[in-house]
Amino acid sequence: MEETRRSLRSRVREVVAETGSLVVPRRCPCGEEGSWLCARCAVALAAPARRVEAGCDALQLLSGARIREERHGATVLPAGVDHTPLLPVLALGEYGGALQELVLAWKNAGQLHLGGRIAEALAPAVTTLAASGGVRRPELVPVPSRRGARIRRGEDHVAELVRSLARTGCGRPLLLRAVPTTAQEGRGARQRRGRRIRVTGAAARRAGARAAPVVVVDDVVTTGATLRGMHEALTAQGMRVLGAVVVAASRLPGHDDLARW
Ligand SMILES: [Zn+2]
């Protein structure tokens, strides 16, 4: 009887907590009250996604080098090195201002409902990458979250973003067991530019066996080391990586980067 009363009391507390949360005033990450995302901040999600891989150092592959200027017909190639990005990466914008506030509120402040709005904004980018690979609905693979971050926040927000993206119909979730490896032995300069990730489990083997076309999903890209690690891990399993979509890029490609193309 005492047991029942206790569980009833805790259930009442739960209900009170749930109902209480319904009357919390809606507040945008910028602080404006009245909506979860004010009109001004919603603009940060309104721009079409743009290519950002040229601004990610870890994604550049050396594709050519010239000791001196070379002439090819009418074209003169200057001395130097050429880089080709490993994969296309699409982002909604630069990690700053309203977009940064929004990402931080979604990631760290428990405002998970923002994930739905972010997914709607990002879905066309998935469709663009899918179309370039001749695919209608690719499989969406979240980058692995660091274990510590997942425990601290209590949820995996990138995996949740993948589920929200799937609900828009642009792709199907492919949640794999991906383990960031921290082994340092024998790491050369090339490996240091990437983050080593191991993808394991039956789902990964099956996706590899049918050469599944996949799009990698992450929140913010900085150097691209994690995306590079995912590209290597998924390709090693046999999957076809069409590209990556991220919410924001810490650095947008500048004129110098574009000149490399
Ligand atoms: Zn706002």
Side-chain angles (χ1 to χ4, degrees):
M1 189 58 193
E2 182 55 29
E3 194 54 40
T4 318
R5 205 173 293 143
R6 224 188 345 254
S7 76
L8 187 65
R9 256 203 310 270
S10 80
R11 180 71 197 124
V12 167
R13 260 201 305 273
E14 264 172 47
V15 170
V16 168
E18 280 166 19
T19 353
S21 72
L22 293 178
V23 296
V24 163
R26 292 175 176 224
R27 188 194 291 263
C28 177
C30 73
E32 186 164 310
E33 288 191 5
S35 66
W36 293 122
L37 191 64
C38 76
R40 208 175 47 241
C41 292
V43 171
L45 294 179
R50 50 180 294 179
R51 299 277 294 262
V52 298
E53 68 275 12
C56 304
D57 286 346
L59 294 180
Q60 308 308 317
L61 301 182
L62 189 67
S63 56
R66 287 172 305 280
I67 296 166
R68 60 184 70 84
E69 189 179 278
E70 282 176 22
R71 187 174 294 274
H72 295 269
T75 334
V76 178
L77 297 172
V81 290
D82 299 329
H83 290 99
T84 311
L86 181 64
L87 77 168
V89 182
L90 286 160
L92 292 176
E94 189 168 18
Y95 190 54
L99 192 56
Q100 182 173 9
E101 279 176 0
L102 203 140
V103 168
L104 289 174
W106 165 60
K107 251 177 96 159
N108 298 334
Q111 297 195 29
L112 280 177
H113 54 271
L114 292 171
R117 297 292 294 271
I118 294 171
E120 281 167 28
L122 212 46
V126 173
T127 307
T128 301
L129 289 175
S132 71
V135 180
R136 213 169 64 81
R137 286 178 76 210
E139 296 182 49
L140 308 169
V141 182
V143 301
S145 69
R146 288 193 178 83
R147 196 176 130 80
R150 199 166 56 230
I151 290 167
R152 203 169 54 244
R153 290 193 288 259
E155 81 286 318
D156 185 340
H157 66 285
V158 178
E160 204 47 54
L161 176 60
V162 158
R163 292 191 191 95
S164 299
L165 278 167
R167 279 194 287 274
T168 72
C170 68
R172 286 176 293 156
L174 179 59
L175 304 175
L176 303 175
R177 204 178 313 141
V179 195
T181 61
T182 47
Q184 292 294 318
E185 74 277 10
R187 301 189 73 186
R190 197 179 154 273
Q191 279 101 330
R192 272 199 299 275
R193 298 186 71 192
R195 192 174 151 211
R196 294 260 299 277
I197 296 170
R198 228 157 44 85
V199 171
T200 59
R205 280 195 299 277
R206 280 197 300 270
R210 59 191 151 83
V214 300
V215 169
V216 181
V217 179
D218 200 357
D219 49 14
V220 179
V221 65
T222 306
T223 63
T226 304
L227 294 181
R228 184 179 183 137
M230 281 302 278
H231 182 276
E232 279 168 8
L234 298 171
T235 308
Q237 287 277 351
M239 283 169 253
R240 187 156 68 92
V241 182
L242 304 173
V245 297
V246 299
V247 185
S250 58
R251 179 172 167 262
L252 294 181
H255 286 298
D256 289 353
D257 300 305
L258 293 172
R260 289 206 294 237
W261 288 60

